[in-house]
Amino acid sequence: MQQIMEQAQKMQEQLMSAQQELADAEVTGSAGGELVTATVTGAGELKGLVIDPKAADPEDTETLADLVVAAVRDANRAAQELQAQKMGPLTGGLGGGLGELGLPGL
């Protein structure tokens, strides 16, 4: 039982470390051939948005809005991939190991 508790504590420390890495990491996404670029943290927080002046047509703000949404979505997709990469190995092990102890789903 002591070994299981030590493993759980180690996994918790690794999980916290991975969460901090995600909060510190930044990924970008773009749209319109990089007319709009969004930067988000690995946790999905929008940190920056760069709009090329060529995309800013006062007569067509709808296209610019669409490009912004697409760039943010692209950046969030990259953040989700990073989350899966960092957290997947840690959270994937939670169900299997403890389930053998009669604690399914943990």
Side-chain angles (χ1 to χ4, degrees):
M1 190 63 152
Q2 178 68 23
Q3 185 180 9
I4 292 171
M5 295 301 288
E6 288 173 4
Q7 286 177 332
Q9 183 176 359
K10 182 178 178 183
M11 187 177 288
Q12 182 179 14
E13 290 170 2
Q14 290 172 334
L15 189 60
M16 289 175 62
S17 175
Q19 288 172 330
Q20 186 60 49
E21 285 180 40
L22 286 172
D24 294 340
E26 291 186 354
V27 294
T28 60
S30 64
E34 297 190 2
L35 286 174
V36 177
T37 303
T39 302
V40 299
T41 66
E45 177 186 355
L46 181 63
K47 297 294 277 187
L49 190 64
V50 177
I51 300 172
D52 187 309
K54 292 181 239 170
D57 179 0
E59 301 294 319
D60 186 14
T61 58
E62 288 178 21
T63 297
L64 178 57
D66 290 343
L67 290 172
V68 169
V69 169
V72 172
R73 282 185 183 153
D74 189 44
N76 279 327
R77 178 204 45 77
Q80 288 173 348
E81 287 177 8
L82 183 62
Q83 288 171 6
Q85 202 175 34
K86 294 278 185 191
M87 303 295 276
L90 295 173
T91 57
L94 288 177
L98 294 177
E100 295 171 7
L101 296 174
L103 302 172
L106 294 178

